[in-house]
C-alpha cells in the first residue's frame, strides 16, 4: 500500500476510535480509554486490548503517541496531528565501534569491528537477549585447509541507510597460503561481508553473508557461517532448549556438537523459563547455499553458549560469490503456538470484564 493510502487508513481509524475516548475512573485517578459507545461510561477490557493491539501495529506507529492523537481528535474538528506517524528507526549513535539503534521492537548496540551485534528488548536491564556474532569461515586454497575467525580479519564496518530502515555491515579480508611452499608468505584470497538489515515495520533481522574470491583465486569446499555467541551469560538470559524444525531437545554439553546435519527450514533456541517470560530466537534460512550443519556448544546441558550454522559450497572460482541469507526473529513468550484469535477477532474470545 502506498504512503498516502496508509495515511488514509491511519487517519480513518483514528477518527473512528476518537468518538469512543472517555475518562475511566481508576483507584488513583483517571485514564483515557475506549467506551462501548460514544460518550459512554462502560469500558470493555477485551475491546480496549484489541484496540491497543491494533494501534501498536508498526504501520500505525508502534503505538507511539496514540493516546495524545486520540485525545486531540476527540477535542475538536481540526487537522489530524501526525503523532501516530509511520514506524521509524532512530540511530542514536552511528559510530561503528559503539553504535546504538532503536526500532519499534528492539534496541541494537555493538561493535562492528568486532563483528558483534547485540540485540536487547526495550526496557530490559541486564545482558543482551541475543548476540549476533562469533563466526568462522573455512576453505581450501591449493590443497591447504584454512579455518579463520571472521572477527580477526575485519577491515571495514559501518551503518548505511536502506529502504525501510538501516543496514549494518562488516567486511573481512581473508588471507592465506597454499601450494608447494606452504611456509611462504600469505596473500589476499577473498572478501567476506556480513550485512544485518533492520527495518521499522518488522521485528525480523535479515542477515546476508557473501564470500567473494579475489581475481585469480579459486577456493575449494568453502564454508560460511552464521552464529550467535554468548547466549547464556546468566542474569536472566539462559537458553536451554534447541528448536530444530518440529523437534525440541536440550542444548548439549561440549564444544561444536553437531545437533543437525543437512538442510533445515527453521531452527533456533528458547529459554527454560515460564512461558510468558521465555525468550525464543527463531532462525529461518532464506536462500543462497543450503545449511550443511547446525552446531551447539555449552559448558553444561541446557546452557547454550554458541549456536553456529555452516553453509557449504563446492568450489568458488575467481571472482565468484557464495551467499547465505537468514531471517532472525527474537520474541518473548512464544513457548507454544499462538492459537488464540488476535487483532479484530480477539475480543470475541477474550474474557468479558468491565471497569
Amino acid at each position: 500500500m502506498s504512503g498516502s493510502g496508509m495515511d488514509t487508513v491511519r487517519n480513518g481509524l483514528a477518527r473512528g476510535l476518537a468518538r469512543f475516548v472517555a475518562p475511566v475512573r481508576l483507584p488513583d485517578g483517571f485514564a483515557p480509554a475506549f467506551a462501548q459507545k460514544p460518550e459512554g461510561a462502560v469500558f470493555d477490557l477485551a475491546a480496549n486490548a484489541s484496540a491497543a493491539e491494533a494501534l501498536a501495529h508498526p504501520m500505525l506507529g508502534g503505538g507511539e503517541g496514540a493516546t495524545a492523537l486520540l485525545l486531540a481528535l476527540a477535542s475538536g474538528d481540526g487537522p489530524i496531528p501526525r503523532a501516530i506517524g509511520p514506524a521509524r528507526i532512530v540511530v542514536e549513535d552511528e559510530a561503528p565501534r559503539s553504535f546504538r539503534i532503536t526500532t519499534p521492537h528492539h534496541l541494537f548496540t555493538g561493535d562492528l569491528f568486532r563483528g558483534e551485534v547485540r540485540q536487547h528488548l526495550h526496557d530490559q536491564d541486564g545482558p543482551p537477549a541475543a548476540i549476533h556474532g562469533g563466526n568462522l569461515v573455512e576453505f581450501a586454497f591449493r590443497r591447504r585447509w584454512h579455518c579463520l575467525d571472521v572477527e580477526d580479519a575485519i577491515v571495514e564496518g559501518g551503518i548505511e541507510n536502506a529502504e525501510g530502515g538501516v543496514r549494518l555491515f562488516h567486511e573481512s579480508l581473508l588471507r592465506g597460503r597454499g601450494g608447494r611452499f606452504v611456509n611462504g608468505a600469505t596473500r589476499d584470497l577473498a572478501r567476506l561481508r556480513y550485512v544485518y538489515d533492520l527495518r521499522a515495520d518488522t521485528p525480523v533481522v535479515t542477515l546476508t553473508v557473501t564470500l567473494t574470491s579475489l581475481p585469480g583465486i579459486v577456493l575449494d569446499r568453502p564454508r560460511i557461517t552464521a552464529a550467535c555467541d554468548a547466549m547464556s551469560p546468566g542474569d536472566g538470559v539462559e537458553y536451554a532448549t534447541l528448536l530444530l524444525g518440529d523437534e525440541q531437545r536440550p542444548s548439549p554439553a561440549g564444544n561444536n556438537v553437531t545437533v543437525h546435519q543437512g538442510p533445515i527450514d527453521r531452527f533456533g533456541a528458547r529459554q527454560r523459563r515460564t512461558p510468558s517470560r521465555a525468550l525464543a530466537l527463531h532462525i529461518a534460512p532464506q536462500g543462497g547455499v543450503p545449511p550443511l550443519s547446525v552446531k551447539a556448544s555449552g559448558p553444561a546441558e541446557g546452557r547454550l553458549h554458541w549456536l553456529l550454522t555452516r553453509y557449504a559450497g563446492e568450489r568458488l572460482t575467481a571472482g565468484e560469490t557464495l551467499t547465505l541469507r537468514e531471517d532472525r526473529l527474537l520474541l518473548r513468550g512464544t513457548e507454544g503456538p499462538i492459537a488464540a484469535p488476535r487483532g479484530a477477532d480477539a475480543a470475541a474470545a477474550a474474557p468479558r470484564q468491565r471497569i
Side-chain angles (χ1 to χ4, degrees), residues 55-186:
L55 289 169
H57 191 283
M59 296 186 73
L60 295 175
E64 183 177 351
T67 300
L69 172 60
L70 290 168
L71 291 177
L73 290 175
S75 65
D77 297 325
I80 295 178
R82 299 191 60 82
I84 192 170
R88 64 187 185 274
I89 286 179
V90 179
V91 180
E92 299 178 4
D93 188 339
E94 62 182 356
R97 295 186 183 275
S98 59
F99 68 85
R100 182 181 175 90
I101 299 170
T102 58
T103 77
H105 320 282
H106 298 102
L107 164 68
F108 294 88
T109 64
D111 183 345
L112 294 172
F113 279 88
R114 293 180 56 188
E116 186 175 276
V117 177
R118 299 188 291 266
Q119 188 171 6
H120 313 251
L121 300 181
H122 284 303
D123 301 321
Q124 185 71 38
D125 296 329
I131 298 179
H132 308 274
N135 292 289
L136 303 171
V137 59
E138 303 166 283
F139 55 85
F141 174 61
R142 294 183 178 175
R143 299 184 300 279
R144 177 163 181 162
W145 186 249
H146 296 72
C147 180
L148 307 175
D149 283 330
V150 171
E151 289 79 6
D152 290 344
I154 293 176
V155 295
E156 186 179 0
I159 302 172
E160 302 173 337
N161 289 326
E163 182 179 358
V166 297
R167 177 171 294 137
L168 316 179
F169 75 92
H170 58 80
E171 187 164 315
S172 300
L173 178 61
L174 307 179
R175 299 176 59 85
R177 57 171 64 93
R180 295 174 55 192
F181 305 102
V182 295
N183 294 320
T186 60

Side-chain angles (χ1 to χ4, degrees), residues 20-21 43 49 129 143 152 156-157 164 180 186-187 190 192 199 205 229 246 257 272 295 315 320-321 323 352 355:
F20 295 82
V21 172
F43 303 85
R143 299 184 300 279
D152 290 344
E156 186 179 0
R180 295 174 55 192
T186 60
R187 59 183 296 184
L192 179 63
R199 293 179 58 92
V205 177
D229 204 0
D246 295 327
V257 179
R272 185 194 295 116
K295 294 180 177 289
R315 168 173 271 211
E320 190 179 5
T321 295
T323 301
R352 307 292 292 185
I355 299 178

Side-chain angles (χ1 to χ4, degrees), residues 168-312:
L168 316 179
F169 75 92
H170 58 80
E171 187 164 315
S172 300
L173 178 61
L174 307 179
R175 299 176 59 85
R177 57 171 64 93
R180 295 174 55 192
F181 305 102
V182 295
N183 294 320
T186 60
R187 59 183 296 184
D188 296 343
L189 300 177
R191 298 189 77 93
L192 179 63
R193 184 179 179 92
Y194 281 73
V195 174
Y196 298 87
D197 282 310
L198 314 180
R199 293 179 58 92
D201 59 0
T202 175
V204 172
V205 177
T206 298
L207 169 62
T208 304
V209 183
T210 54
L211 174 66
T212 304
S213 59
L214 297 180
I217 301 297
V218 176
L219 303 179
D220 290 309
R221 292 187 295 151
R223 308 286 188 260
I224 51 180
T225 67
C228 289
D229 204 0
M231 296 195 70
S232 298
D235 197 14
V237 180
E238 297 280 354
Y239 286 90
T241 302
L242 296 177
L243 311 174
L244 302 168
D246 295 327
E247 179 187 0
Q248 300 184 18
R249 69 171 78 166
S251 175
N255 293 322
N256 296 323
V257 179
T258 300
V259 294
H260 180 84
Q261 193 78 36
I264 187 171
D265 60 355
R266 66 189 187 280
F267 59 94
R270 190 185 66 241
Q271 290 182 316
R272 185 194 295 116
R273 301 186 71 180
T274 58
S276 64
R277 298 189 58 81
L279 292 168
L281 178 64
H282 302 274
I283 302 175
Q286 294 296 316
V289 291
L292 177 67
S293 62
V294 180
K295 294 180 177 289
S297 298
E301 183 177 275
R303 192 178 175 192
L304 177 64
H305 177 76
W306 189 35
L307 182 66
L308 178 134
T309 310
R310 299 167 76 225
Y311 293 79

Side-chain angles (χ1 to χ4, degrees), residues 11-36:
N11 294 345
L13 175 63
R15 285 196 184 279
L17 289 175
R19 298 171 54 242
F20 295 82
V21 172
V24 57
R25 183 184 295 275
L26 300 177
D28 56 349
F30 292 87
F34 300 110
Q36 286 188 331

